[in-house]
Amino acid sequence: MISHISHLECPQCRRKHSADNLATYCVCGSPLFVVYDMSGVREEIDTEVFPSEMNSMWRYSQLLPVKSPSYVVSLGEGWTPLLLSRQLGKHLGLRMLRIKDEAQNPTGSFKDRGLCVAISKSLELGAKSFGLPSAGNAAVSTSAYSAAAGVSAHIFMPDDTPEPFFEQCTLFGAEIVRVKGTISEAGQEMRKRNGDWTDLSTTKEPYRVEGKKTLGFEISEQMGWSVPDVIICPTGGGTAIIGIWKAFEELEALGLIGSERPRLYAAQSGGCAPVVRAIEKGTDNLEPWVNGDTTALGLRVPSPFAGREILNAIRKSGGGAVAVADQDIAPIRRMVGKLEGLDICPESAVGIAGLRNLIESGAIDFDEEVILLNTGNGARYTNIKL
Ligand SMILES: Cc1ncc(COP(=O)(O)O)c(C=O)c1O
Ligand SMILES: [Zn+2]
């Protein structure tokens, strides 16, 4: 099955851009989104909904940007299980909770989805090597997919990132630069060096969101083409929450679902919560969070580039944003380990603490269908004592 990609479009100024060249973001400063020829996809899925024998996110290749399958660098990403919580949901006071277990991706996190698509599409458009500032998991994904593609990866990570992240990037043959500060400073350092790599920074190119979008497709397909009431998204740079929102828009355009949407809740650490602050203040833009810090390293994103799009997804879905204390992370990881047999990452522990707060405040009802993203495996986070 072939991609029905049409062009790129700016969600702010509505300028159209070609999808035939390597692209970054719009001249107005906004991220760009991929637009597909939906009527073409609709005709195809009249006869066959996505191929059930394909146990990866490439079952949705009509709605992914890569035109020639020969450029797809797959390690078997996506189509992760939607686990029924045996005990955690009840413990939190929910009738039923499901966990989309993204730790089961090839390198252990949901970053594989976005980077698999971005790397494959960029190779199709002529990229020869990749550069990325990262909090950890995205670096491991980029290193692995670059290795599989036979091209070089240049990774810029905060120097306090736990060693297992560096070790895995090294194992996959990446060049690594350690930078003082957060992912923001890592990005500045990467731009200063001005290498001839293709920049894969979060939402500064259009294709990582496309990979993350498959999370929304899978959740809906695994629920028999329906939608849950709530999805809890640990949010840093925002690719998942933006991608999931886009997924449901596309599924409606295809007639696979109606106008119903899950409420999307962004969960952040109180130590770095620019999204929560903007939702509380009602602003259209995110203000950078000064001296942001949290042990949930993927959420240590003081100034997400796609702020407007994150806020748009949350508000249009009728959801919200919730900040929690870092002290909750270790106890919650221990609790989930005991109750579910899962070694969740600290970002997902933030999601669970957020869910608990939302249940306590009455924002989420006991009877609602809630899906929690376990965005990655906890084992690499040696910065947290369990
Ligand atoms: C495990 C984990 N969860 C969540 C996030 C936040 O991701 P997003 O860009 O979708 O907001 C990250 C980002 O680094 C991560 O590594
Ligand atoms: Zn624009």
Side-chain angles (χ1 to χ4, degrees), residues 10 12-15 17 26-30 32:
C10 173
Q12 295 304 326
C13 74
R14 295 284 156 203
R15 265 193 198 88
H17 299 246
C26 186
V27 286
C28 78
S30 163
L32 291 173

Side-chain angles (χ1 to χ4, degrees), residues 110-111 135 137 202 212 234-240 298-299 345 347 375-376 381:
F110 72 161
K111 298 283 170 183
N137 286 311
T202 309
K212 286 277 186 78
T235 299
T239 46
L299 309 185
C345 60
E347 293 81 356
T375 51
Y381 292 80

Side-chain angles (χ1 to χ4, degrees), residues 20-55:
D20 295 332
N21 311 305
L22 282 168
T24 55
Y25 45 91
C26 186
V27 286
C28 78
S30 163
L32 291 173
F33 283 165
V34 179
V35 179
Y36 295 85
D37 164 21
M38 284 298 180
S39 57
V41 184
R42 222 177 294 125
E43 275 167 30
E44 279 184 17
I45 67 164
D46 274 350
T47 50
E48 183 191 22
V49 185
F50 308 107
S52 54
E53 72 282 1
M54 195 174 268
N55 290 326

Side-chain angles (χ1 to χ4, degrees), residues 68-332:
S68 166
S70 64
Y71 285 99
V72 173
V73 185
S74 177
L75 295 170
E77 48 294 319
W79 203 242
T80 56
L82 190 55
L83 303 173
L84 187 58
S85 157
R86 291 195 168 77
Q87 301 187 74
L88 177 65
K90 283 195 202 87
H91 181 81
L92 294 171
L94 287 175
R95 189 170 56 81
M96 194 169 79
L97 172 70
R98 279 185 278 206
I99 303 169
K100 181 73 171 156
D101 190 16
E102 290 292 288
Q104 299 194 34
N105 277 300
T107 79
S109 88
F110 72 161
K111 298 283 170 183
D112 287 342
R113 294 180 187 267
L115 287 151
C116 175
V117 171
I119 286 175
S120 300
K121 182 65 187 175
S122 302
L123 290 169
E124 183 174 60
L125 296 174
K128 300 279 184 267
S129 65
F130 296 101
L132 178 80
S134 166
N137 286 311
V140 177
S141 297
T142 299
S143 304
Y145 285 94
S146 297
V151 300
S152 63
H154 307 268
I155 300 297
F156 295 75
M157 271 195 282
D159 61 357
D160 61 356
T161 307
E163 287 308 312
F165 289 99
F166 289 108
E167 285 160 14
Q168 288 209 304
C169 293
T170 304
L171 178 76
F172 296 132
E175 183 211 15
I176 300 164
V177 179
R178 293 175 182 244
V179 182
K180 260 209 158 2
T182 67
I183 192 170
S184 302
E185 285 73 33
Q188 284 162 21
E189 180 63 28
M190 187 183 87
R191 287 186 289 280
K192 209 165 79 193
R193 297 205 182 192
N194 198 22
D196 61 358
W197 48 67
T198 295
D199 180 354
L200 294 175
S201 299
T202 309
T203 63
K204 289 191 174 168
E205 59 73 52
Y207 300 113
R208 283 175 62 182
V209 165
E210 292 304 296
K212 286 277 186 78
K213 177 182 81 175
T214 58
L215 262 173
F217 292 163
E218 288 180 20
I219 287 170
S220 185
E221 183 168 2
Q222 288 168 324
M223 294 182 61
W225 299 117
S226 66
V227 307
D229 294 307
V230 168
I231 303 178
I232 306 287
C233 307
T235 299
T239 46
I241 203 161
I242 295 168
I244 288 171
W245 178 251
K246 188 171 189 278
F248 290 112
E249 298 277 277
E250 291 179 1
L251 292 182
E252 184 181 3
L254 293 176
L256 285 167
I257 62 167
S259 59
E260 66 279 13
R261 292 289 181 276
R263 305 199 303 284
L264 303 180
Y265 286 93
Q268 299 199 299
S269 159
C272 188
V275 174
V276 180
R277 184 172 60 191
I279 290 287
E280 282 171 358
K281 283 193 178 169
T283 57
D284 284 340
N285 282 310
L286 291 188
E287 273 171 51
W289 189 276
V290 180
N291 295 328
D293 203 9
T294 165
T295 54
L297 299 169
L299 309 185
R300 194 170 59 165
V301 186
S303 183
F305 185 65
R308 292 178 83 97
E309 302 318 311
I310 296 172
L311 297 174
N312 181 52
I314 293 170
R315 290 192 176 120
K316 280 211 173 133
S317 78
V322 57
V324 307
D326 254 38
Q327 297 93 280
D328 287 348
I329 290 173
I332 285 182

